[in-house]
């Protein structure tokens, strides 16, 4: 009885050993072929035929000794991505960032059926993204940033329903931003910055991305208005639409988003008044400078206890600076120069927080300087009446 049991036990052990040996030998061959295809870069000299790939620092294996993660960031790789990379059948995470890889989008990866994370940022890839990119159906995280991809973002990208993070920044995209991106309901971060899109407007469907925490789109050629639907982005923490040609008013719903902490709308053509009701109590940086905003500075800014940066310069704001602002305990940077502000500076400014920049020149301010302005250690004061 005992004898039979240990016999079975040995068979089981042997089976596990043999199957992991099989992965070891065939996947090691694949990896050594990859290295050879990439012309044996010095960064991979520790890959050799007498050690197990699972022990190589660039690799993580599963319990069966099969490769699931390959991290080749900054390894000096050149040339194309060889098709046999998907012979690593269990590959889930592929990081090739910061190399010199060339060619069009590597469709060979469609054969990596388990792939959930792909980072090919900072390489020399060119050309349009394929229309059938949704064949990478398991993807949760993708970073294609800092390459030379061109053309449209294909609408099929909206079919990658597991996506949580989509980064396409700093490419040469000059076509459409598809509204289908609004279908990516699991999306947490969306980075489209530094492209020259030819879309007239931000798709209002982006307002459907209720789980979105970061939307990063500076310098993307945007025109038209900020969609009212953004009021529905209840989890939004960072919104950067700076350096575009957006016009119209700032939707009042933006300042009601409870989790919003960083708002950058500077260098646009926004007009109208700043919404007077502000409930985004977590705001720590507001930069809406270099627009055409009119009206007065809302009293409600004084409710923002976390606020460190308030940049309102180069607008057409009038009225006086609300005294509530002088009581914000976190305020470090206050820049309102080049507006039509009048009246006296709040007398308590500089008393409740340590100002690092206080720039109010080119306005119509009167009266005397607040006495605590320098006491708090203000480094930079620019006052010119
Ligand atoms: C193979 O690589 C391992 C480390 O990955 C190293 O310890 C070993 O000395 C190498 N063997 C040969 C023959 O180069
Ligand atoms: C190992 O392989 C077996 C059979 O292919 C599979 O059922 C199991 O999930 C694998 N284990 C791991 C940790 O991948
Ligand atoms: C996937 O692999 C199959 C078989 O090796 C091959 O015929 C096919 O061209 C590959 N697909 C892509 C997109 O590379
Ligand atoms: C990518 O685009 C930049 C700027 O247009 C250009 O200087 C560079 O040579 C391009 N690189 C490739 C690999 O096409
Ligand atoms: C998204 O997937 C569906 C179902 O496979 C397909 O019919 C549709 O054409 C795809 N959308 C795009 C834009 O490719
Ligand atoms: C995705 O969005 C587009 C346009 O925004 C819509 O027409 C389409 O029906 C949506 N597809 C799915 C599968 O939800
Ligand atoms: C949005 O986030 C919540 C909380 O993390 C999660 O339960 C929900 O499944 C997410 N929605 C989608 C569509 O992924
Ligand atoms: C927010 O979403 C709800 C439900 O989908 C919708 O009825 C409403 O019109 C949206 N709000 C805006 C401002 O788009
Ligand atoms: C806001 O952030 C908090 C804390 O990170 C989180 O629990 C909450 O789900 C977020 N969303 C909303 C709508 O408050
Ligand atoms: C506000 O921000 C702090 C961190 O600065 C965070 O811990 C807290 O959850 C945030 N609150 C909301 C409502 O998001
Ligand atoms: C800004 O808007 C005005 C009209 O309000 C328009 O005349 C002007 O061309 C716009 N400027 C830019 C840079 O878009």
């Amino acid at each position: 009885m005992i004898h039979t049991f240990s016999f079975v036990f040995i068979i089981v052990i042997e089976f596990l050993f043999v199957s992991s040996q099989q992965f070891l030998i065939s996947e090691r061959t694949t990896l050594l072929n990859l290295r050879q295809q990439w012309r044996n870069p010095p960064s991979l000299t520790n890959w050799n035929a007498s050690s197990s790939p699972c022990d190589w620092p660039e690799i993580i294996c599963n319990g069966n000794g099969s490769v699931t993660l390959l991290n080749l960031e900054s390894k000096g790789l050149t040339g194309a991505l060889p098709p046999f990379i998907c012979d690593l059948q269990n590959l889930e995470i592929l990081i090739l960032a910061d190399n010199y890889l060339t060619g069009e989008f590597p469709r060979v990866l469609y054969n990596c059926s388990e792939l959930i994370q792909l980072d090919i940022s900072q390489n020399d890839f060119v050309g349009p993204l394929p229309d059938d990119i949704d064949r990478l159906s398991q993807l949760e995280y993708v970073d294609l940033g800092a390459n030379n991809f061109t053309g449209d973002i294909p609408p099929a990208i909206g079919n990658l329903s597991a996506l949580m993070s989509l980064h396409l920044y700093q490419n040469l995209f000059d076509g459409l931003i598809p509204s289908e991106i609004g279908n990516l309901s699991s999306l947490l971060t969306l980075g489209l910055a530094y492209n020259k899109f030819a879309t007239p407007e931000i798709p209002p469907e982006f307002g459907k991305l209720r789980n979105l925490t970061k939307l990063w789109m500076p310098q993307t050629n945007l025109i038209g208005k900020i969609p009212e639907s953004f009021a529905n982005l209840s989890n939004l923490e960072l919104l950067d639409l700076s350096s575009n040609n957006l016009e119209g008013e700032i939707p009042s719903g933006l300042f009601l988003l409870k989790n919003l902490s960083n708002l950058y709308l500077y260098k646009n053509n926004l007009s109208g008044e700043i919404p007077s009701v502000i409930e985004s109590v977590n705001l720590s940086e507001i930069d809406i400078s270099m627009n055409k905003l009119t009206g007065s500075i809302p009293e409600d800014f004084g409710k923002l206890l976390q606020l460190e940066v308030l940049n309102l310069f180069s607008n057409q704001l009038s009225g006086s600076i609300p005294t509530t602002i002088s009581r914000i305990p976190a305020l470090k940077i206050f820049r309102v120069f080049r507006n039509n502000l009048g009246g006296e500076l709040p007398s308590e400014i500089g008393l409740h927080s340590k100002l690092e920049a206080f720039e109010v020149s080119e306005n119509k301010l009167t009266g005397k300087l607040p006495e605590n302005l320098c006491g708090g250690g203000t480094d930079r004061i620019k006052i010119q009446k």
Side-chain angles (χ1 to χ4, degrees):
M1 187 60 189
I2 287 167
H3 189 79
T4 316
F5 178 77
S6 49
F7 177 73
V8 170
F9 190 66
I10 285 164
I11 298 243
V12 169
I13 295 272
E14 205 134 83
F15 172 76
L16 283 177
F17 182 72
V18 167
S19 67
S20 81
Q21 279 292 60
Q22 272 166 353
F23 275 125
L24 189 146
I25 293 165
S26 69
E27 295 200 340
R28 182 168 58 202
T29 305
T30 301
L31 289 160
L32 292 175
N33 286 342
L34 273 174
R35 187 185 70 170
Q36 191 181 32
Q37 186 90 12
W38 284 322
R39 296 182 211 157
N40 300 311
S43 56
L44 297 180
T45 44
N46 60 331
W47 288 14
N48 63 36
S50 51
S51 55
S52 161
C54 301
D55 294 333
W56 300 346
E58 298 80 11
I59 282 167
I60 293 178
C61 296
N62 65 14
N64 292 339
S66 178
V67 176
T68 55
L69 175 148
L70 184 55
N71 182 354
L72 297 173
E73 179 166 359
S74 311
K75 294 289 181 185
L77 308 179
T78 54
L81 198 55
F84 57 82
I85 194 165
C86 294
D87 290 351
L88 305 170
Q89 284 169 27
N90 292 302
L91 192 62
E92 293 173 6
I93 302 179
L94 177 60
I95 302 170
L96 297 168
D98 189 23
N99 284 293
Y100 307 94
L101 298 171
T102 53
E104 301 222 321
F105 180 85
R107 294 176 84 248
V108 293
L109 295 175
Y110 292 173
N111 272 341
C112 296
S113 57
E114 305 294 320
L115 197 64
I116 54 177
Q117 278 194 34
L118 174 64
D119 183 350
I120 57 169
S121 63
Q122 274 199 70
N123 277 285
D124 293 330
F125 290 107
V126 298
L129 297 183
D131 285 336
D132 58 352
I133 196 165
D134 53 341
R135 286 174 61 186
L136 292 166
S137 57
Q138 313 284 322
L139 277 187
E140 293 176 6
Y141 173 100
V142 63
D143 192 341
L144 311 181
N147 281 287
N148 276 9
F149 290 117
T150 51
D152 296 334
I153 298 175
I157 219 153
N159 270 346
L160 295 173
S161 55
L163 264 194
M164 294 193 275
S165 185
L166 175 61
H167 289 291
L168 303 174
Y169 57 88
Q170 212 180 323
N171 274 288
L172 304 173
F173 289 114
D174 53 1
L176 279 177
I177 304 174
S179 60
E180 281 79 359
I181 287 180
N183 293 343
L184 297 170
S185 53
S186 303
L187 210 57
L188 298 172
T189 59
L190 177 57
L192 302 176
Y194 314 123
N195 281 291
K196 294 198 171 135
F197 293 113
T199 347
E201 317 221 341
I202 305 174
E205 288 82 358
F206 279 19
K208 294 193 292 179
L209 299 170
R210 285 169 186 272
N211 275 5
L212 200 65
T213 58
K214 294 186 174 67
L215 178 57
W216 188 49
M217 298 185 76
Q219 281 190 51
T220 40
N221 243 7
L222 298 173
I223 62 167
K225 296 184 176 180
I226 301 173
E228 295 283 342
S229 62
F230 275 23
N232 271 337
L233 297 175
S234 48
N235 282 294
L236 203 60
E237 294 166 10
L238 174 133
L239 177 63
D240 189 345
L241 303 174
S242 61
S243 303
N244 283 294
N245 295 311
L246 295 167
E247 57 184 24
E249 297 191 8
I250 299 174
S252 55
L254 271 192
F255 281 111
L256 305 179
L257 298 174
K258 291 279 188 295
N259 282 4
L260 193 61
S261 66
N262 295 67
L263 177 65
Y264 308 111
L265 303 176
Y266 60 88
K267 244 181 152 187
N268 276 289
N269 209 359
L270 299 168
S271 57
E273 302 197 3
I274 302 171
S276 59
V277 180
I278 297 173
E279 288 175 7
S280 311
V281 291
N282 245 22
L283 273 166
S284 71
E285 299 198 3
I286 299 176
D287 193 337
I288 52 181
S289 59
M290 294 181 274
N291 280 291
K292 291 185 178 150
L293 299 167
T294 53
S296 54
I297 300 176
E299 292 269 340
D300 266 11
F301 277 146
K303 294 199 301 199
L304 305 177
L305 302 182
Q306 319 283 337
L307 193 65
E308 294 179 14
V309 177
L310 183 57
N311 284 342
L312 306 174
F313 61 88
S314 296
N315 277 293
Q316 295 153 21
L317 299 170
S318 54
S320 55
I321 298 172
T323 50
T324 53
I325 284 182
S326 63
R327 304 204 185 104
I328 301 173
L331 195 64
K332 288 184 191 157
I333 314 276
F334 181 71
R335 295 193 178 99
V336 297
F337 61 91
R338 219 169 287 153
N339 276 293
N340 294 317
L341 297 168
E344 299 195 8
L345 290 168
S347 61
E348 287 182 18
I349 196 121
L351 180 62
H352 305 283
S353 76
K354 196 174 161 181
L355 290 171
E356 290 166 12
F358 182 78
E359 303 182 5
V360 299
S361 60
E362 294 176 71
N363 279 295
K364 295 171 184 160
L365 297 164
T366 57
K368 55 181 189 192
L369 284 184
E371 55 184 301
N372 297 294
L373 212 43
C374 301
T378 306
D379 303 325
R380 247 186 309 162
I381 306 180
K382 289 191 197 162
I383 306 173
Q384 224 169 42
K385 292 184 192 166

